[in-house]
Every structure is written in structure tokens, then in C-alpha cells.
Amino acid sequence: MNTQLQTPAIVGQSRIISVQTLYNNYGAMLLGYIVEAVKNRDIAEQYLIAVFNDVQNELDEFTKPGVNAFCRLQLMARKKLIDFFGSSTEPVSEEKSNNKYTAKMNREQQIVFCGVHWQGKTIARLATELNKPDEAIRKILKECFTIIRSSSK
């Protein structure tokens, strides 16, 4: 049993090692995920840096039971990408995303899909913003997934 008192320098160094380990294990996958979203490697790298700069402040979240580190990193990336995609009810513009799936969606489907997937909005929030019942938003979201499934064949 190690009975040594950990000094702030040792604790700080272990946090740096933890962030470095997360980066080594998941950095490339997360970069690929972000590049697919923003369609620009330079911008994606900036978002990756921003995510990993925040990781050190949220290391405790990664050690909670049942937390998947990559899913947590994706969630952090999505929160950062809200700035890129905007937080309005406007669909993703053509110059921001040449995503082959969202291109096949109509305006309302784009708003719902991007609102849920990229902006992290709840069904209830989108229903309020679009002045529609929750069930209508769920139906639109199901249509979006049908478009994605049929497009990937």
C-alpha cells in the first residue's frame, strides 16, 4: 500500500498522463468523427484541440462507473460543434455540411435531425420550437433514420 502523500505536482502530472492516454486511445477516432461533421480537416483539428483542452477539467466524469470514454468525448465534441452548426432552428447550410444523408432530407427533417444529433436538443424542445406535438417530431426523426438507412445500402 502506498502511504505517500500526493503533492499537487504529482496529482497534476497524473491528470496530464490521463489526458494523454485518452488522446492516444481515442484522438484519431474523434478526429475522424469531427472531420465527417465539418468536412474540413483544419477546422476539425481545432475542435479536437478544444475538446482535449476541456478533458482535463472533466476527468472525473470519465472515471464514473458505466461511462464509455469515446461516447463521452463525442458528447463533448458535439457541444463544441454547436458553434459550428449554430443553435437556431435553421437547417445546416450547404457550405457547412456536404453530408450525403442530410442532403436527401427536406428542410424540416434537417432541422429535426441536426437539432437532435448535432445540437443536442430534446424532442420536447424541438416540439416547442417548431410548434408541433412531440409525436410529430418523433415521426420526423424516424423518417430521417429511414433516409439514412436506405441511403447507406
Side-chain angles (χ1 to χ4, degrees), residues 25-41:
N25 291 338
Y26 303 108
M29 287 190 300
L30 190 62
L31 179 62
Y33 175 80
I34 298 170
V35 166
E36 185 61 29
V38 300
K39 304 296 185 199
N40 182 313
R41 186 170 176 93

Side-chain angles (χ1 to χ4, degrees), residues 9-86:
I10 293 171
V11 172
Q13 191 172 19
S14 69
R15 291 181 78 78
I16 291 170
I17 292 170
S18 296
V19 172
Q20 184 66 41
T21 301
L22 282 169
Y23 179 80
N24 291 340
N25 291 338
Y26 303 108
M29 287 190 300
L30 190 62
L31 179 62
Y33 175 80
I34 298 170
V35 166
E36 185 61 29
V38 300
K39 304 296 185 199
N40 182 313
R41 186 170 176 93
D42 293 334
I43 292 172
E45 288 173 355
Q46 291 172 359
Y47 278 103
L48 183 71
I49 291 167
V51 168
F52 276 96
N53 283 338
D54 287 350
V55 165
Q56 63 186 345
N57 300 328
E58 297 189 26
L59 273 177
D60 297 336
E61 295 295 319
F62 287 91
T63 59
K64 289 183 177 177
V67 172
N68 180 300
F70 185 66
C71 289
R72 179 76 185 145
L73 288 167
Q74 280 183 315
L75 179 65
M76 292 173 69
R78 280 190 208 127
K79 287 180 181 177
K80 294 284 182 195
L81 289 169
I82 287 173
D83 296 336
F84 183 80
F85 288 105

Side-chain angles (χ1 to χ4, degrees), residues 121-141:
K121 294 179 181 179
T122 64
I123 299 290
R125 181 173 171 195
L126 280 168
T128 302
E129 288 178 2
L130 298 174
N131 198 22
K132 292 185 178 273
D134 288 4
E135 197 52 45
I137 301 299
R138 283 188 186 86
K139 182 179 180 230
I140 293 168
L141 190 58

